[in-house]
Amino acid sequence: MELPQIGKNCQLEGCNSLDFLPVACPLCHHTFCGDHRLPLDHKCSQWTHVNKELIQCSDCQHLIQAPENEKLSPEQALKLHKKSKCQLYLYPPNNTIKKIDRQCTVKGCRDIDPRIGPVHCNGCDQDFCLKHRHPASHVCQSLDTDEQRKIDRKLAAQEKVAKTFAPQPAKKNKIIKSVPVKSKNGGIVELMKIKSQAKGSASVPAASRIYIYVQGPKESKVESQSMYFDKKTSVGKALDLIAGICKVNNKNNAVPPSDPERLELYKCPDMDILSKSDSLEKALKNLDTVLLERQGLVSMEELNEEK
C-alpha cells in the first residue's frame, strides 16, 4: 500500500469508520473520526471532570483553555491561540504535537507532515514526505528494476509467441489437373471406370446423369473425387451441392460478385468460371474436371502453371 500507516478506525461504538485524518480526544485519549471528534459528539467519559471553560479551535481541532492568571475569557483565549498559529493555550499543556525526527530523504526537503508522518517507500526502503512519496518523485532505484522486469517479461512473451505461432513453411500452390482421356474410342473405358466409382444421388436416373471429376477447395479435406449429377441441373445448384459435400462455408447468397470469399466452379484446365445459370449439360461433358474454389484464392500463378 502507498500509505499503510495512515488512518485509524473511529472508536465510537456503532461507527468504526476509517478516517485518514483521525482526531485523538485530549480528555479520554481515544481516537475518533471527524464527525465524532468533539467530546460531546462521542460522549466523552472525562468531560465531566474538566473545566467547562474549555473551547475547541476550529483550525487545529485542539481544546483551548484560558490561563487563570491572565483572566482571559474562552473567546479571547481562542483568538490569541489562532493568532499564535495554534501554539498557545492548548489543553492539556503537554498535548502538543510531537516533532518528527525523521526527515524526507530527498536532500533539502523538510516537508514531512507532523500529523501524518513520513511515507515509507518499499522500493528503496526510505522515508519521504507526501510530495515525494511516489517512486518517480524521488527517482527511486526500484524504477530501474521495474523497467528491466518489464523488458524481461516482454522478451519472454515474444519468445513464447514466436514458439507458439512459428511461421509454417509456405505451401505450394494447389496443382489442378484434369483427367486425361487416353483411349481412342472417345473415353469409353474411362467413362466405365468413373461410373463404377462416382458418387451422387441415387434418385437421378442413369440416362440423365453426367459424370465429372471434382476437386475441392484448399480449405476442404476433399482433394478429388468422381461425382455424377442430373445433366439438367444448373451450375449454381451443382456448386451448392459440391460445397455441401466438401463441407465448406458457402456465403454466395450474402456476398457481392466481386467478393474474394465467393465460391466459383472453374472448368479445368483452362480455369474458366462456369456460368451459374447454365445447365451442366451445356457447360460440361462427361469426364470433365471442375474445381470449387474461392475466387480470391485462384491466382494468376496457378492459371499460368496449368496453361
Side-chain angles (χ1 to χ4, degrees):
M1 295 177 61
E2 184 183 337
L3 303 174
Q5 75 276 33
I6 295 178
K8 290 184 179 180
N9 294 90
C10 179
Q11 291 183 282
L12 179 65
E13 185 178 356
C15 179
N16 197 39
S17 62
L18 177 65
D19 197 310
F20 289 100
L21 291 174
V23 178
C25 177
L27 304 178
C28 63
H29 305 293
H30 290 165
T31 303
F32 301 95
C33 64
D35 294 336
H36 302 119
R37 66 186 184 278
L38 300 178
L40 293 178
D41 291 333
H42 61 264
K43 299 178 181 179
C44 183
S45 59
Q46 301 300 317
W47 181 246
T48 57
H49 304 297
V50 300
N51 194 328
K52 292 299 189 297
E53 295 299 319
L54 294 179
I55 190 170
Q56 190 167 28
C57 175
S58 59
D59 294 341
C60 67
Q61 307 299 327
H62 281 84
L63 292 175
I64 309 303
Q65 183 183 46
E68 296 179 1
N69 58 350
E70 295 186 24
K71 297 182 180 180
L72 297 175
S73 67
E75 290 74 17
Q76 290 173 326
L78 176 62
K79 187 175 181 180
L80 292 174
H81 167 78
K82 289 185 176 181
K83 187 176 287 188
S84 69
K85 297 183 179 179
C86 298
Q87 298 297 318
L88 295 177
Y89 310 135
L90 295 172
Y91 178 84
N94 62 347
N95 188 28
T96 56
I97 301 171
K98 294 183 180 179
K99 293 185 178 179
I100 301 296
D101 295 332
R102 287 175 290 178
Q103 295 181 353
C104 178
T105 307
V106 175
K107 187 175 181 180
C109 179
R110 292 179 173 83
D111 291 340
I112 289 183
D113 192 315
R115 295 181 182 279
I116 297 177
V119 180
H120 189 76
C121 175
N122 294 326
C124 58
D125 199 26
Q126 300 289 339
D127 293 330
F128 298 92
C129 65
L130 290 178
K131 184 172 66 176
H132 295 120
R133 69 189 186 277
H134 296 295
S137 300
H138 60 262
V139 195
C140 184
Q141 63 186 16
S142 64
L143 292 176
D144 295 334
T145 305
D146 290 342
E147 189 64 28
Q148 185 59 44
R149 191 180 294 114
K150 289 179 182 178
I151 294 174
D152 293 341
R153 283 202 302 263
K154 183 177 180 181
L155 292 175
Q158 289 176 344
E159 183 179 355
K160 186 173 182 179
V161 169
K163 289 180 179 179
T164 305
F165 301 100
Q168 300 295 327
K171 294 182 179 180
K172 294 182 179 180
N173 287 326
K174 185 174 182 177
I175 300 176
I176 304 167
K177 296 181 180 180
S178 58
V179 178
V181 179
K182 299 180 181 179
S183 62
K184 298 180 180 180
N185 54 8
I188 296 177
V189 176
E190 286 76 10
L191 185 58
M192 292 175 63
K193 288 181 180 180
I194 194 174
K195 284 183 177 181
S196 64
Q197 301 171 354
K199 298 179 180 179
S201 175
S203 62
V204 180
S208 299
R209 297 177 182 178
I210 181 172
Y211 295 87
I212 58 175
Y213 294 98
V214 176
Q215 293 202 30
K218 292 181 179 180
E219 64 191 87
S220 171
K221 295 181 180 180
V222 177
E223 288 294 330
S224 176
Q225 64 180 358
S226 55
M227 300 182 184
Y228 67 83
F229 301 91
D230 191 324
K231 63 180 67 175
K232 302 295 182 181
T233 299
S234 67
V235 172
K237 185 176 181 180
L239 183 151
D240 294 338
L241 292 172
I242 295 172
I245 294 171
C246 294
K247 296 181 180 179
V248 296
N249 187 13
N250 184 1
K251 298 184 288 186
N252 283 10
N253 291 334
V255 297
S258 59
D259 195 290
E261 290 295 308
R262 191 174 181 83
L263 289 169
E264 299 288 356
L265 271 182
Y266 296 87
K267 183 178 179 180
C268 304
D270 297 329
M271 299 301 289
D272 294 329
I273 297 178
L274 300 179
S275 174
K276 296 179 182 60
S277 60
D278 288 346
S279 64
L280 289 179
E281 67 176 348
K282 181 179 178 181
L284 301 169
K285 64 180 183 297
N286 284 329
L287 303 179
D288 275 347
T289 300
V290 296
L291 166 70
L292 177 69
E293 188 56 274
R294 302 193 186 277
Q295 61 180 357
L297 297 180
V298 178
S299 64
M300 292 305 298
E301 182 180 352
E302 287 176 324
L303 297 180
N304 294 334
E305 282 183 358
E306 292 306 312
K307 293 181 180 181

